[in-house]
Amino acid sequence: MTACGLWANAQASPLPIDSLPLQADGEISVLPAGTHTGNFVLETPIHLRCAPEAVLDGGGHDNLLTIRAPGVTIEGCTLRNWGSNLTEMNAGIFVEPSATDVTLQGNRLRGPGFGIWSDGTRNLVVENNQVEGDTDYRSQDRGNGIHLINTNEARVLNNRVRHTRDGIYLGNSNNNLIQGNLMEDLRFGIHYMFSQSNRVIGNTTRRTRTGYALMQSRMLTVEHNRSEDDRNYGILMNFITYSTITDNFVSNVQRGQTGDDSMIKGGEGKALFIYNSLFNTIANNHFERSNLGIHLTAGSENNRISSNTFAGNEQQVKYVATRTQEWSVEGRGNFWSDYLGWDRNDDGLGDVPYEPNDNVDRLLWMYPQVRLLMNSPAIQVLRWVQRAFPVIRMQGVQDSHPLMRMPTTHLIQPTQETR
C-alpha cells in the first residue's frame, strides 16, 4: 500500500489522481506496479495507463475513480473493492455529466457495486473491459456491470461482463451503439428502459435470466445477437415500438428456477416474448430448442413477422387474442419445423397455411388446471375432432405462406468466445 493510499482511507473526500506516484511517458501518465488504495477523482484531462502489476483498490467504500474532466482516458488498469451501496451509486468508475469524450479501454474491474456508471455524459467509449461482480452478494444486491443513465452517443464495444446484476443497462439514453459484448451469468444481459434510436449489434448472452430485456423504448435496432442457454427469456420486448429485430439467434431458453428475480414472471422458457409492442419488424431470426418459440400477449399486434425460423421448440407459438394475426409479409412467411403441409408447385412455400394453435390450446391457456388432462383420451378426441371438422375457428396466428426450407442466415459469431 502506498503512503497516499493510507492517507486516502482517512479522508472523507476523494483525492486528486495526481496524488498517486504517476510517472510520465510522453503525454501519458503511468501508474507503477503496486496496490494503491483510496478513492480518487480526475478533475483535469489525463491519459492514465496502468503498469501490468498496478492495482487500484477502493478500500471497500464509495467510488474508486470519479471522472469530472472531459477528454480523460483510463487504460489497462485493474480496479477492485469499491463500495457496495447501490443507493449511493457506488461504482468502480463513475463518469459525471461534465466528463464528455471519456475513453475507458482494456480495464479489469471486480467489485460488489456498479462497475462503470455513466451519468448524463456524451461521447463515452467503453471498450475491451472486463467487469466481474462479487458473488458473495445476492445477484439483486450487486450493481450493473455497465450502467448508462441519460447518456447519449456512447459506444460500448467488445466488453465482457460476468456475475453482476445486469450486464449493460441503459435508461433514458439515446443514439448509443452496444456491439460485440459478451455477458454471462446475470439477471439481464442487456436491459433497455425509456431509450430510443439505439443499436444492439453482435452481442452474446449466456446463462442469464433474460438475454435481452427491451422495455419502454422505441426505434431500436437489434440485430446479429445471440442468446445461448438463457433462462425465462431470450429476447423480451415490453412496450417496444417502431423497432427492428433481425438476424438474431436464440437457442435453448428453458424454464427458470424458483426464486429467479425476474421483473416479468413467466413459467416457460420463451425464445421471444412480445408484450404490448406494436409496429415492429421481426425478420430473419432463428429461434430453436426452447420451451416456447414465441409468445405474444397484451395487444402485441401490427408487427411484421416473416422469414424467421422456429425449429425444435416444445411449443412454437402462444397467442391469445380476439383477432387473427397474419405472419407473412408480401407472400413470404416463416419456417416451422413441425409444419406438415406440402408444396406441389415446388416454389418453396407451403400450399396450406400454418396454424400453430387450436381451440384446445386456447382452452388450456384460459384454464390451466385442464393441463392435468393434457394426455387424456378426452383431450385427444377434441384435437382429432377439430382437425377433422374445422367448423369453429378461433382467432389466432396464421402463416399463409410458410417456408418449406430453413432460411440461410448470416449471423455474426461472438467476438469473445475464448476470453
Side-chain angles (χ1 to χ4, degrees):
M1 182 184 299
T2 64
C4 66
L6 289 170
W7 180 37
N9 277 339
Q11 304 299 308
S13 300
L15 289 170
I17 196 69
D18 58 11
S19 63
L20 289 168
L22 303 179
Q23 300 170 356
D25 182 7
E27 296 183 354
I28 298 174
S29 297
V30 179
L31 181 66
T35 299
H36 308 272
T37 301
N39 309 108
F40 303 97
V41 61
L42 292 79
E43 297 186 294
T44 58
I46 186 175
H47 184 155
L48 176 65
R49 178 189 297 159
C50 292
E53 301 300 324
V55 175
L56 287 164
D57 189 305
H61 60 89
D62 300 328
N63 301 328
L64 205 170
L65 287 181
T66 299
I67 303 176
R68 294 174 181 163
V72 167
T73 296
I74 307 295
E75 177 185 357
C77 293
T78 297
L79 302 95
R80 68 187 187 193
N81 192 31
W82 54 88
S84 60
N85 191 324
L86 304 186
T87 302
E88 296 294 329
M89 303 178 293
N90 290 167
I93 301 176
F94 194 100
V95 185
E96 295 192 352
S98 55
T100 58
D101 302 294
V102 166
T103 297
L104 308 174
Q105 184 173 16
N107 302 291
R108 298 164 297 280
L109 300 91
R110 187 181 188 279
F114 296 91
I116 296 169
W117 181 297
S118 171
D119 187 4
T121 188
R122 300 181 66 89
N123 300 322
L124 173 70
V125 177
V126 182
E127 184 171 10
N128 289 320
N129 301 282
Q130 298 184 36
V131 183
E132 178 90 17
D134 190 335
T135 55
D136 290 338
Y137 292 76
R138 298 183 305 168
S139 63
Q140 59 265 41
D141 294 330
R142 305 170 199 163
N144 300 324
I146 300 171
H147 188 100
L148 309 183
I149 191 76
N150 297 318
T151 297
N152 300 323
E153 309 291 344
R155 291 184 295 154
V156 181
L157 311 172
N158 302 318
N159 302 280
R160 182 179 184 180
V161 184
R162 301 179 64 219
H163 296 131
T164 62
R165 184 174 59 190
D166 296 347
I168 301 172
Y169 174 91
L170 296 94
N172 294 299
S173 297
N174 306 323
N175 301 305
N176 300 293
L177 171 63
I178 312 299
Q179 183 170 1
N181 302 281
L182 174 60
M183 293 151 289
E184 300 173 299
D185 304 297
L186 309 160
R187 184 184 69 168
F188 297 158
I190 293 179
H191 186 185
Y192 268 98
M193 293 289 291
F194 306 108
S195 300
Q196 67 178 16
S197 302
N198 290 286
R199 292 179 293 157
V200 183
I201 300 175
N203 303 281
T204 298
T205 63
R206 296 193 186 115
R207 301 179 302 276
T208 73
R209 297 188 188 110
T210 296
Y212 303 86
L214 314 175
M215 302 183 180
Q216 284 87 21
S217 299
R218 61 197 301 266
M219 294 188 291
L220 302 180
T221 298
V222 181
E223 62 185 17
H224 295 295
N225 301 286
R226 297 178 70 91
S227 161
E228 303 172 355
D229 301 316
D230 290 323
R231 303 192 303 275
N232 296 333
Y233 309 98
I235 299 175
L236 182 153
M237 301 171 62
N238 180 14
F239 289 87
I240 297 297
T241 57
Y242 301 104
S243 295
T244 301
I245 316 295
T246 60
D247 294 297
N248 301 287
F249 185 94
V250 180
S251 177
N252 197 34
V253 183
Q254 302 297 322
R255 293 174 178 86
Q257 302 297 317
T258 301
D260 278 356
D261 54 347
S262 300
M263 291 178 65
I264 297 180
K265 300 295 182 183
E268 301 96 346
K270 301 171 184 178
L272 175 62
F273 179 48
I274 307 178
Y275 181 91
N276 200 15
S277 297
L278 306 169
F279 312 119
N280 301 293
T281 296
I282 301 169
N284 300 313
N285 301 287
H286 186 107
F287 305 107
E288 70 168 27
R289 295 188 297 114
S290 299
N291 298 142
L292 181 55
I294 180 171
H295 180 192
L296 285 84
T297 188
S300 295
E301 301 170 348
N302 296 313
N303 296 298
R304 294 166 60 90
I305 302 176
S306 67
S307 299
N308 300 286
T309 292
F310 296 89
N313 300 296
E314 294 177 19
Q315 182 179 344
Q316 299 282 43
V317 178
K318 182 176 181 179
Y319 174 67
V320 180
T322 58
R323 55 182 290 191
T324 297
Q325 290 289 299
E326 175 57 50
W327 282 6
S328 63
V329 177
E330 298 178 354
R332 184 174 176 84
N334 304 272
F335 175 82
W336 308 91
S337 61
D338 58 344
Y339 177 61
L340 299 178
W342 54 87
D343 178 16
R344 290 176 176 170
N345 60 358
D346 198 29
D347 64 353
L349 303 175
D351 294 341
V352 295
Y354 175 79
E355 296 177 331
N357 303 130
D358 56 22
N359 292 336
V360 175
D361 292 323
R362 188 180 182 90
L363 177 68
L364 294 173
W365 298 336
M366 295 176 64
Y367 305 101
Q369 61 270 26
V370 178
R371 288 184 179 275
L372 296 174
L373 305 175
M374 176 76 77
N375 297 315
S376 69
I379 294 295
Q380 298 306 315
V381 168
L382 282 175
R383 288 196 187 277
W384 181 85
V385 169
Q386 182 170 264
R387 287 194 299 269
F389 305 99
V391 177
I392 300 176
R393 294 183 58 188
M394 302 298 291
Q395 290 80 8
V397 168
Q398 175 178 294
D399 185 345
S400 298
H401 306 282
L403 306 180
M404 298 301 294
R405 289 177 291 276
M406 187 181 300
T408 301
T409 58
H410 302 282
L411 299 172
I412 295 176
Q413 297 300 313
T415 58
Q416 304 193 29
E417 194 74 38
T418 60
R419 276 185 56 178

